[in-house]
Amino acid sequence: MKPNYPLKNVQQEKRIFRNRVFISIGIVTFFLVLLVVRYAYLQISSFDEFSTASDKNRIRLQPLPPARGYIYDRNGILLADNLPVFNATISRADIEDMDDTINRLIPVLSLTQEDIDRFKSRIQTARKTERVSIKLNLNEADIARFSEVKFLFPGVNIELQMTRYYPHGELFAHVIGYVGRINDKELKEIDKDAYAGTNLIGKIGVEKSYENLLHGVPGNESIEADAHGNVLRHLGRKDPIRGNDLYLSIDYGLQVIASEQLAGRRGAIVALDPKTGEILALVSSPSFNPNLFVTGISSTDYSSLRDNLDQPLYNRAVQGAYPPGSTIKPMFGLGGIHYGFVDWKTQISDHGYFSLPGDSHRFRDHKKTGHGIVDMHKAQVVSCDTYFYVLSYRMGIEKMNEWMRQFGFGAKTGVDLPSESTGLYPSPEWKMRTRNAKWLKGETISVSIGQGAFTATPLQLAMATAITANQGDHITPHVLRESKGSKPHTVHNATDGKIDFNGQPEDWIKMREAMVDVVNSGTGRRIRSSAYTIAGKTGTAQVKSIAQGKKYNESILTERQLDHGLFVGFAPAENPEIAIAVVWENGRHGGSAAQLAKPLFDYWLLTRQKNPVVPTGKHISGGLMTAGIKPSDLPSGSQSLSTNAEASSTQRHEASAASIESQVETERD
């Protein structure tokens, strides 16, 4: 029997179908309306907001760091150059996971922890789209490894940027200084907009003193980039303005000569133009290669410099505080005349020592038997200590302090170089403040001959000598001669005051004549010249004290316990063109230090015009050279000094050394 199926209900099926159609249309309509509303919200109500956000993703404003200004000597010889190097850069806008990116980059770019820490400090304060360097001065191996895996690092790029190079290495290190990576402390102090995209800043020397002139003004560029940070097209550009070029008062040839005299020795030489205060040469020995610091010095190299017993990083010319010894006797003698305690006819009888009234202690003269009857002129020529012992006893430490400070002792000279030492001209107030003790009369006696607590820098000695040469006209030492560029700067090249002196103008001339006789017949006679007249004063500064009644015996002292040799002088005596101060650590005698100054006088006054010392090699300034390259690494014919010039330098140094070491000094000063 067949089953009985009900007839098909057509009406019901149509009703179900219609309902389904209406529901589907409703759902589609709802989502279509929702889509239209959302589209209207994005395109109409929030158009400005999202249009700006979209442009920020697509269009970026990239900073363009300015090139640093060049530094030249007074003759236009290039001392600080700019060279291109390859740097690895990253911007936060292109990186989702910065830590992961850095960790993957470590083996590719050989990143150190120092590189990573420095980058993280800088990226936190940089603009989101600013490209910050994570490693400077990439070598060929770094670039090759990165190129192979570039597709794995969207947002990381290799860019060509400018860095600093010092073609003459150690020669100008303590004058020019160097630039280095911006550290955390500097990052808090600098204008971040002005240093956008910049990695380097002046650390010491001229590079630091004139950072505001050398740095320049940054520019910017609008670019269109894809999601990976790759540049699609350039939309607009504002070029950066290069920093000012600086022309220093330093003379390349005189700097070379001064450096040769101190080669293999510890000490400093400063040469000034007494009429303007321009520093013609400033050498601290030993020195260092500033190129090591530009892109980050290795810990090994830095430890080697820091732990070196000779302290090559220490700028002895500006920071070194030495007992000035007898070099200050001309200035001190003028003080006695100023206050009326002595005149040129005042005489004493020198028996080889001086004792304070009521005290048996003997302050000894360097000549055991004394110099007999001594007046001011003779006291300068033979460097009679006893004469100045007597003068200091009459004058007292307060008046001595008041007078000597007019020559710049005990205060900064105002030189345009950082980290200058004040030296020390002691006083009763200073001793009570620092040592909580009263001043002793015997201390006044020691200060009168540049010993005791009295210390001065070679730069201070050069300035005081220039003031003496100027017959009391004061100058402020400076190394900047001229600045050229968009930032205006005025340099003062003249005297700027006068010593308060109660004597006669002839007193300055008589002191000059006494200093001339120091060189012609006194303790500095080994440097007298027939071509021009030198006025000078030698000095010997005691390093190791000698007990009362004991005799100075070099044979039992170590090399570093020997006395310092000092010399100050100017020439030509009648119309000075150059004033020089020399400090030779453990040089034994002032006469030996004077011989180091003689080649500088000869060069400046006799040979500079006709046969100047200049770099004879062609300096490469446009090739792809790394900042760590040394002049010796340059191709043959491109080094800073030619083989002939180097040979000449060696011959001059050997001749100077032979001249000094072969002669036996008979005077302590």
Side-chain angles (χ1 to χ4, degrees), residues 36-66:
V36 170
V37 170
R38 180 62 178 170
Y39 184 77
Y41 170 75
L42 294 175
Q43 293 293 323
I44 300 174
S45 299
S46 301
F47 174 80
D48 292 338
E49 176 184 353
F50 289 103
S51 175
T52 301
S54 176
D55 283 340
K56 283 184 177 179
N57 270 335
R58 184 174 59 92
I59 300 174
R60 300 179 180 179
L61 190 66
Q62 295 278 66
L64 298 175

PDB file of all heavy atoms in Angstrom, residues 36-66:
ATOM      1  N   VAL A  36      27.863  53.536   5.228  1.00  0.00           N
ATOM      2  CA  VAL A  36      27.737  54.916   4.754  1.00  0.00           C
ATOM      3  C   VAL A  36      27.973  55.903   5.898  1.00  0.00           C
ATOM      4  O   VAL A  36      28.655  56.928   5.739  1.00  0.00           O
ATOM      5  CB  VAL A  36      26.350  55.138   4.114  1.00  0.00           C
ATOM      6  CG1 VAL A  36      26.109  56.628   3.826  1.00  0.00           C
ATOM      7  CG2 VAL A  36      26.229  54.333   2.826  1.00  0.00           C
ATOM      8  N   VAL A  37      27.407  55.582   7.067  1.00  0.00           N
ATOM      9  CA  VAL A  37      27.596  56.464   8.227  1.00  0.00           C
ATOM     10  C   VAL A  37      29.077  56.538   8.613  1.00  0.00           C
ATOM     11  O   VAL A  37      29.615  57.612   8.901  1.00  0.00           O
ATOM     12  CB  VAL A  37      26.740  55.964   9.409  1.00  0.00           C
ATOM     13  CG1 VAL A  37      27.103  56.720  10.699  1.00  0.00           C
ATOM     14  CG2 VAL A  37      25.256  56.145   9.107  1.00  0.00           C
ATOM     15  N   ARG A  38      29.703  55.356   8.665  1.00  0.00           N
ATOM     16  CA  ARG A  38      31.134  55.337   9.019  1.00  0.00           C
ATOM     17  C   ARG A  38      31.970  56.082   7.987  1.00  0.00           C
ATOM     18  O   ARG A  38      32.906  56.827   8.334  1.00  0.00           O
ATOM     19  CB  ARG A  38      31.614  53.884   9.128  1.00  0.00           C
ATOM     20  CG  ARG A  38      33.081  53.713   9.486  1.00  0.00           C
ATOM     21  CD  ARG A  38      33.373  54.295  10.847  1.00  0.00           C
ATOM     22  NE  ARG A  38      34.779  54.090  11.217  1.00  0.00           N
ATOM     23  CZ  ARG A  38      35.354  54.656  12.271  1.00  0.00           C
ATOM     24  NH1 ARG A  38      34.652  55.460  13.074  1.00  0.00           N
ATOM     25  NH2 ARG A  38      36.619  54.436  12.544  1.00  0.00           N
ATOM     26  N   TYR A  39      31.627  55.881   6.719  1.00  0.00           N
ATOM     27  CA  TYR A  39      32.353  56.556   5.646  1.00  0.00           C
ATOM     28  C   TYR A  39      32.181  58.073   5.755  1.00  0.00           C
ATOM     29  O   TYR A  39      33.136  58.841   5.599  1.00  0.00           O
ATOM     30  CB  TYR A  39      31.843  56.054   4.302  1.00  0.00           C
ATOM     31  CG  TYR A  39      32.592  56.603   3.114  1.00  0.00           C
ATOM     32  CD1 TYR A  39      33.842  56.106   2.775  1.00  0.00           C
ATOM     33  CD2 TYR A  39      32.050  57.639   2.349  1.00  0.00           C
ATOM     34  CE1 TYR A  39      34.535  56.613   1.696  1.00  0.00           C
ATOM     35  CE2 TYR A  39      32.739  58.157   1.266  1.00  0.00           C
ATOM     36  CZ  TYR A  39      33.998  57.640   0.939  1.00  0.00           C
ATOM     37  OH  TYR A  39      34.677  58.159  -0.123  1.00  0.00           O
ATOM     38  N   ALA A  40      30.912  58.485   6.063  1.00  0.00           N
ATOM     39  CA  ALA A  40      30.646  59.910   6.224  1.00  0.00           C
ATOM     40  C   ALA A  40      31.424  60.468   7.421  1.00  0.00           C
ATOM     41  O   ALA A  40      31.943  61.590   7.384  1.00  0.00           O
ATOM     42  CB  ALA A  40      29.145  60.138   6.403  1.00  0.00           C
ATOM     43  N   TYR A  41      31.518  59.676   8.501  1.00  0.00           N
ATOM     44  CA  TYR A  41      32.258  60.117   9.687  1.00  0.00           C
ATOM     45  C   TYR A  41      33.738  60.324   9.361  1.00  0.00           C
ATOM     46  O   TYR A  41      34.350  61.322   9.757  1.00  0.00           O
ATOM     47  CB  TYR A  41      32.100  59.083  10.795  1.00  0.00           C
ATOM     48  CG  TYR A  41      33.019  59.315  11.983  1.00  0.00           C
ATOM     49  CD1 TYR A  41      32.754  60.333  12.895  1.00  0.00           C
ATOM     50  CD2 TYR A  41      34.148  58.522  12.165  1.00  0.00           C
ATOM     51  CE1 TYR A  41      33.603  60.560  13.972  1.00  0.00           C
ATOM     52  CE2 TYR A  41      34.997  58.741  13.240  1.00  0.00           C
ATOM     53  CZ  TYR A  41      34.720  59.765  14.139  1.00  0.00           C
ATOM     54  OH  TYR A  41      35.562  59.978  15.199  1.00  0.00           O
ATOM     55  N   LEU A  42      34.294  59.358   8.614  1.00  0.00           N
ATOM     56  CA  LEU A  42      35.708  59.446   8.288  1.00  0.00           C
ATOM     57  C   LEU A  42      35.996  60.538   7.260  1.00  0.00           C
ATOM     58  O   LEU A  42      37.006  61.249   7.368  1.00  0.00           O
ATOM     59  CB  LEU A  42      36.215  58.104   7.754  1.00  0.00           C
ATOM     60  CG  LEU A  42      36.217  56.926   8.744  1.00  0.00           C
ATOM     61  CD1 LEU A  42      36.625  55.640   8.026  1.00  0.00           C
ATOM     62  CD2 LEU A  42      37.170  57.204   9.894  1.00  0.00           C
ATOM     63  N   GLN A  43      35.113  60.661   6.261  1.00  0.00           N
ATOM     64  CA  GLN A  43      35.402  61.554   5.153  1.00  0.00           C
ATOM     65  C   GLN A  43      34.887  62.982   5.354  1.00  0.00           C
ATOM     66  O   GLN A  43      35.379  63.905   4.705  1.00  0.00           O
ATOM     67  CB  GLN A  43      34.792  60.988   3.856  1.00  0.00           C
ATOM     68  CG  GLN A  43      35.437  59.697   3.396  1.00  0.00           C
ATOM     69  CD  GLN A  43      36.873  59.921   2.959  1.00  0.00           C
ATOM     70  OE1 GLN A  43      37.191  60.937   2.377  1.00  0.00           O
ATOM     71  NE2 GLN A  43      37.745  58.966   3.278  1.00  0.00           N
ATOM     72  N   ILE A  44      33.895  63.126   6.249  1.00  0.00           N
ATOM     73  CA  ILE A  44      33.303  64.458   6.420  1.00  0.00           C
ATOM     74  C   ILE A  44      33.569  65.002   7.826  1.00  0.00           C
ATOM     75  O   ILE A  44      34.257  66.006   8.006  1.00  0.00           O
ATOM     76  CB  ILE A  44      31.786  64.420   6.135  1.00  0.00           C
ATOM     77  CG1 ILE A  44      31.538  63.947   4.684  1.00  0.00           C
ATOM     78  CG2 ILE A  44      31.163  65.802   6.367  1.00  0.00           C
ATOM     79  CD1 ILE A  44      30.081  63.743   4.356  1.00  0.00           C
ATOM     80  N   SER A  45      33.048  64.319   8.823  1.00  0.00           N
ATOM     81  CA  SER A  45      33.159  64.830  10.193  1.00  0.00           C
ATOM     82  C   SER A  45      34.602  64.871  10.688  1.00  0.00           C
ATOM     83  O   SER A  45      35.028  65.822  11.356  1.00  0.00           O
ATOM     84  CB  SER A  45      32.314  63.970  11.146  1.00  0.00           C
ATOM     85  OG  SER A  45      30.962  64.004  10.777  1.00  0.00           O
ATOM     86  N   SER A  46      35.382  63.816  10.392  1.00  0.00           N
ATOM     87  CA  SER A  46      36.761  63.732  10.910  1.00  0.00           C
ATOM     88  C   SER A  46      37.797  63.828   9.804  1.00  0.00           C
ATOM     89  O   SER A  46      38.900  63.288   9.917  1.00  0.00           O
ATOM     90  CB  SER A  46      36.943  62.411  11.674  1.00  0.00           C
ATOM     91  OG  SER A  46      36.040  62.330  12.740  1.00  0.00           O
ATOM     92  N   PHE A  47      37.416  64.530   8.743  1.00  0.00           N
ATOM     93  CA  PHE A  47      38.328  64.603   7.595  1.00  0.00           C
ATOM     94  C   PHE A  47      39.683  65.220   7.971  1.00  0.00           C
ATOM     95  O   PHE A  47      40.739  64.684   7.645  1.00  0.00           O
ATOM     96  CB  PHE A  47      37.679  65.415   6.473  1.00  0.00           C
ATOM     97  CG  PHE A  47      38.618  65.656   5.310  1.00  0.00           C
ATOM     98  CD1 PHE A  47      38.838  64.667   4.360  1.00  0.00           C
ATOM     99  CD2 PHE A  47      39.296  66.869   5.184  1.00  0.00           C
ATOM    100  CE1 PHE A  47      39.711  64.886   3.309  1.00  0.00           C
ATOM    101  CE2 PHE A  47      40.162  67.082   4.141  1.00  0.00           C
ATOM    102  CZ  PHE A  47      40.373  66.087   3.197  1.00  0.00           C
ATOM    103  N   ASP A  48      39.665  66.355   8.663  1.00  0.00           N
ATOM    104  CA  ASP A  48      40.915  67.058   8.991  1.00  0.00           C
ATOM    105  C   ASP A  48      41.827  66.200   9.857  1.00  0.00           C
ATOM    106  O   ASP A  48      43.043  66.126   9.630  1.00  0.00           O
ATOM    107  CB  ASP A  48      40.602  68.375   9.714  1.00  0.00           C
ATOM    108  CG  ASP A  48      39.921  69.382   8.800  1.00  0.00           C
ATOM    109  OD1 ASP A  48      40.069  69.249   7.573  1.00  0.00           O
ATOM    110  OD2 ASP A  48      39.245  70.288   9.323  1.00  0.00           O
ATOM    111  N   GLU A  49      41.222  65.540  10.850  1.00  0.00           N
ATOM    112  CA  GLU A  49      42.026  64.728  11.772  1.00  0.00           C
ATOM    113  C   GLU A  49      42.695  63.565  11.058  1.00  0.00           C
ATOM    114  O   GLU A  49      43.901  63.353  11.180  1.00  0.00           O
ATOM    115  CB  GLU A  49      41.140  64.217  12.901  1.00  0.00           C
ATOM    116  CG  GLU A  49      41.872  63.285  13.869  1.00  0.00           C
ATOM    117  CD  GLU A  49      40.938  62.717  14.924  1.00  0.00           C
ATOM    118  OE1 GLU A  49      39.764  63.153  14.978  1.00  0.00           O
ATOM    119  OE2 GLU A  49      41.386  61.820  15.672  1.00  0.00           O
ATOM    120  N   PHE A  50      41.918  62.822  10.305  1.00  0.00           N
ATOM    121  CA  PHE A  50      42.482  61.631   9.679  1.00  0.00           C
ATOM    122  C   PHE A  50      43.308  61.955   8.442  1.00  0.00           C
ATOM    123  O   PHE A  50      44.203  61.193   8.071  1.00  0.00           O
ATOM    124  CB  PHE A  50      41.360  60.634   9.335  1.00  0.00           C
ATOM    125  CG  PHE A  50      40.769  59.989  10.552  1.00  0.00           C
ATOM    126  CD1 PHE A  50      39.551  60.399  11.048  1.00  0.00           C
ATOM    127  CD2 PHE A  50      41.460  58.986  11.216  1.00  0.00           C
ATOM    128  CE1 PHE A  50      39.012  59.818  12.184  1.00  0.00           C
ATOM    129  CE2 PHE A  50      40.926  58.393  12.351  1.00  0.00           C
ATOM    130  CZ  PHE A  50      39.702  58.805  12.849  1.00  0.00           C
ATOM    131  N   SER A  51      43.006  63.074   7.799  1.00  0.00           N
ATOM    132  CA  SER A  51      43.835  63.490   6.671  1.00  0.00           C
ATOM    133  C   SER A  51      45.240  63.823   7.153  1.00  0.00           C
ATOM    134  O   SER A  51      46.242  63.451   6.525  1.00  0.00           O
ATOM    135  CB  SER A  51      43.213  64.712   5.987  1.00  0.00           C
ATOM    136  OG  SER A  51      44.066  65.185   4.971  1.00  0.00           O
ATOM    137  N   THR A  52      45.313  64.520   8.309  1.00  0.00           N
ATOM    138  CA  THR A  52      46.617  64.851   8.885  1.00  0.00           C
ATOM    139  C   THR A  52      47.375  63.594   9.289  1.00  0.00           C
ATOM    140  O   THR A  52      48.572  63.458   9.031  1.00  0.00           O
ATOM    141  CB  THR A  52      46.441  65.758  10.112  1.00  0.00           C
ATOM    142  OG1 THR A  52      45.763  66.947   9.711  1.00  0.00           O
ATOM    143  CG2 THR A  52      47.787  66.115  10.725  1.00  0.00           C
ATOM    144  N   ALA A  53      46.655  62.656   9.920  1.00  0.00           N
ATOM    145  CA  ALA A  53      47.300  61.400  10.330  1.00  0.00           C
ATOM    146  C   ALA A  53      47.792  60.620   9.125  1.00  0.00           C
ATOM    147  O   ALA A  53      48.874  60.016   9.141  1.00  0.00           O
ATOM    148  CB  ALA A  53      46.326  60.561  11.142  1.00  0.00           C
ATOM    149  N   SER A  54      47.040  60.646   8.062  1.00  0.00           N
ATOM    150  CA  SER A  54      47.441  59.930   6.851  1.00  0.00           C
ATOM    151  C   SER A  54      48.684  60.559   6.236  1.00  0.00           C
ATOM    152  O   SER A  54      49.613  59.862   5.814  1.00  0.00           O
ATOM    153  CB  SER A  54      46.290  59.947   5.843  1.00  0.00           C
ATOM    154  OG  SER A  54      46.697  59.345   4.626  1.00  0.00           O
ATOM    155  N   ASP A  55      48.701  61.887   6.211  1.00  0.00           N
ATOM    156  CA  ASP A  55      49.863  62.574   5.645  1.00  0.00           C
ATOM    157  C   ASP A  55      51.108  62.319   6.477  1.00  0.00           C
ATOM    158  O   ASP A  55      52.221  62.239   5.953  1.00  0.00           O
ATOM    159  CB  ASP A  55      49.594  64.074   5.557  1.00  0.00           C
ATOM    160  CG  ASP A  55      48.682  64.423   4.386  1.00  0.00           C
ATOM    161  OD1 ASP A  55      48.600  63.585   3.463  1.00  0.00           O
ATOM    162  OD2 ASP A  55      48.074  65.500   4.405  1.00  0.00           O
ATOM    163  N   LYS A  56      50.924  62.207   7.807  1.00  0.00           N
ATOM    164  CA  LYS A  56      52.078  61.933   8.657  1.00  0.00           C
ATOM    165  C   LYS A  56      52.661  60.564   8.355  1.00  0.00           C
ATOM    166  O   LYS A  56      53.860  60.341   8.494  1.00  0.00           O
ATOM    167  CB  LYS A  56      51.673  62.012  10.132  1.00  0.00           C
ATOM    168  CG  LYS A  56      51.516  63.432  10.639  1.00  0.00           C
ATOM    169  CD  LYS A  56      51.216  63.455  12.132  1.00  0.00           C
ATOM    170  CE  LYS A  56      51.129  64.885  12.628  1.00  0.00           C
ATOM    171  NZ  LYS A  56      50.808  64.940  14.081  1.00  0.00           N
ATOM    172  N   ASN A  57      51.801  59.625   7.991  1.00  0.00           N
ATOM    173  CA  ASN A  57      52.294  58.306   7.609  1.00  0.00           C
ATOM    174  C   ASN A  57      52.979  58.343   6.261  1.00  0.00           C
ATOM    175  O   ASN A  57      53.934  57.624   6.008  1.00  0.00           O
ATOM    176  CB  ASN A  57      51.130  57.310   7.545  1.00  0.00           C
ATOM    177  CG  ASN A  57      50.905  56.627   8.883  1.00  0.00           C
ATOM    178  OD1 ASN A  57      51.829  56.535   9.668  1.00  0.00           O
ATOM    179  ND2 ASN A  57      49.686  56.181   9.107  1.00  0.00           N
ATOM    180  N   ARG A  58      52.498  59.204   5.403  1.00  0.00           N
ATOM    181  CA  ARG A  58      52.964  59.231   4.023  1.00  0.00           C
ATOM    182  C   ARG A  58      54.028  60.293   3.791  1.00  0.00           C
ATOM    183  O   ARG A  58      55.019  60.056   3.111  1.00  0.00           O
ATOM    184  CB  ARG A  58      51.755  59.497   3.112  1.00  0.00           C
ATOM    185  CG  ARG A  58      52.051  59.455   1.628  1.00  0.00           C
ATOM    186  CD  ARG A  58      50.774  59.574   0.847  1.00  0.00           C
ATOM    187  NE  ARG A  58      50.075  60.810   1.155  1.00  0.00           N
ATOM    188  CZ  ARG A  58      50.245  61.943   0.467  1.00  0.00           C
ATOM    189  NH1 ARG A  58      51.088  61.983  -0.524  1.00  0.00           N
ATOM    190  NH2 ARG A  58      49.555  63.025   0.791  1.00  0.00           N
ATOM    191  N   ILE A  59      53.849  61.499   4.381  1.00  0.00           N
ATOM    192  CA  ILE A  59      54.761  62.620   4.163  1.00  0.00           C
ATOM    193  C   ILE A  59      55.500  62.909   5.464  1.00  0.00           C
ATOM    194  O   ILE A  59      54.877  63.083   6.510  1.00  0.00           O
ATOM    195  CB  ILE A  59      53.993  63.878   3.704  1.00  0.00           C
ATOM    196  CG1 ILE A  59      53.253  63.579   2.387  1.00  0.00           C
ATOM    197  CG2 ILE A  59      54.948  65.048   3.530  1.00  0.00           C
ATOM    198  CD1 ILE A  59      52.356  64.697   1.935  1.00  0.00           C
ATOM    199  N   ARG A  60      56.806  62.964   5.401  1.00  0.00           N
ATOM    200  CA  ARG A  60      57.627  63.172   6.591  1.00  0.00           C
ATOM    201  C   ARG A  60      58.556  64.358   6.401  1.00  0.00           C
ATOM    202  O   ARG A  60      59.001  64.637   5.295  1.00  0.00           O
ATOM    203  CB  ARG A  60      58.461  61.925   6.891  1.00  0.00           C
ATOM    204  CG  ARG A  60      57.620  60.693   7.151  1.00  0.00           C
ATOM    205  CD  ARG A  60      58.485  59.501   7.427  1.00  0.00           C
ATOM    206  NE  ARG A  60      57.677  58.319   7.671  1.00  0.00           N
ATOM    207  CZ  ARG A  60      58.177  57.115   7.919  1.00  0.00           C
ATOM    208  NH1 ARG A  60      59.486  56.950   7.954  1.00  0.00           N
ATOM    209  NH2 ARG A  60      57.390  56.099   8.134  1.00  0.00           N
ATOM    210  N   LEU A  61      58.853  65.018   7.535  1.00  0.00           N
ATOM    211  CA  LEU A  61      59.791  66.139   7.538  1.00  0.00           C
ATOM    212  C   LEU A  61      61.096  65.642   8.157  1.00  0.00           C
ATOM    213  O   LEU A  61      61.177  65.427   9.362  1.00  0.00           O
ATOM    214  CB  LEU A  61      59.225  67.316   8.337  1.00  0.00           C
ATOM    215  CG  LEU A  61      59.994  68.636   8.222  1.00  0.00           C
ATOM    216  CD1 LEU A  61      59.908  69.174   6.802  1.00  0.00           C
ATOM    217  CD2 LEU A  61      59.441  69.658   9.211  1.00  0.00           C
ATOM    218  N   GLN A  62      62.097  65.438   7.327  1.00  0.00           N
ATOM    219  CA  GLN A  62      63.368  64.905   7.783  1.00  0.00           C
ATOM    220  C   GLN A  62      64.356  66.053   8.058  1.00  0.00           C
ATOM    221  O   GLN A  62      64.504  66.950   7.231  1.00  0.00           O
ATOM    222  CB  GLN A  62      63.987  63.995   6.712  1.00  0.00           C
ATOM    223  CG  GLN A  62      63.187  62.736   6.439  1.00  0.00           C
ATOM    224  CD  GLN A  62      63.481  61.666   7.460  1.00  0.00           C
ATOM    225  OE1 GLN A  62      63.163  61.808   8.627  1.00  0.00           O
ATOM    226  NE2 GLN A  62      64.095  60.592   7.033  1.00  0.00           N
ATOM    227  N   PRO A  63      65.009  66.051   9.225  1.00  0.00           N
ATOM    228  CA  PRO A  63      66.018  67.091   9.486  1.00  0.00           C
ATOM    229  C   PRO A  63      67.262  66.883   8.634  1.00  0.00           C
ATOM    230  O   PRO A  63      67.655  65.750   8.353  1.00  0.00           O
ATOM    231  CB  PRO A  63      66.325  66.915  10.974  1.00  0.00           C
ATOM    232  CG  PRO A  63      66.029  65.474  11.252  1.00  0.00           C
ATOM    233  CD  PRO A  63      64.878  65.116  10.350  1.00  0.00           C
ATOM    234  N   LEU A  64      67.872  67.976   8.224  1.00  0.00           N
ATOM    235  CA  LEU A  64      69.124  67.931   7.474  1.00  0.00           C
ATOM    236  C   LEU A  64      70.203  68.599   8.321  1.00  0.00           C
ATOM    237  O   LEU A  64      70.206  69.824   8.478  1.00  0.00           O
ATOM    238  CB  LEU A  64      68.979  68.661   6.134  1.00  0.00           C
ATOM    239  CG  LEU A  64      67.949  68.088   5.154  1.00  0.00           C
ATOM    240  CD1 LEU A  64      67.837  68.986   3.925  1.00  0.00           C
ATOM    241  CD2 LEU A  64      68.330  66.671   4.743  1.00  0.00           C
ATOM    242  N   PRO A  65      71.096  67.824   8.916  1.00  0.00           N
ATOM    243  CA  PRO A  65      72.122  68.421   9.788  1.00  0.00           C
ATOM    244  C   PRO A  65      73.088  69.284   8.989  1.00  0.00           C
ATOM    245  O   PRO A  65      73.435  68.962   7.850  1.00  0.00           O
ATOM    246  CB  PRO A  65      72.832  67.203  10.387  1.00  0.00           C
ATOM    247  CG  PRO A  65      72.595  66.098   9.403  1.00  0.00           C
ATOM    248  CD  PRO A  65      71.239  66.359   8.813  1.00  0.00           C
ATOM    249  N   PRO A  66      73.551  70.388   9.576  1.00  0.00           N
ATOM    250  CA  PRO A  66      74.487  71.264   8.861  1.00  0.00           C
ATOM    251  C   PRO A  66      75.908  70.718   8.914  1.00  0.00           C
ATOM    252  O   PRO A  66      76.281  70.005   9.856  1.00  0.00           O
ATOM    253  CB  PRO A  66      74.392  72.574   9.648  1.00  0.00           C
ATOM    254  CG  PRO A  66      74.063  72.138  11.043  1.00  0.00           C
ATOM    255  CD  PRO A  66      73.187  70.919  10.901  1.00  0.00           C
TER     256      PRO A  66
END
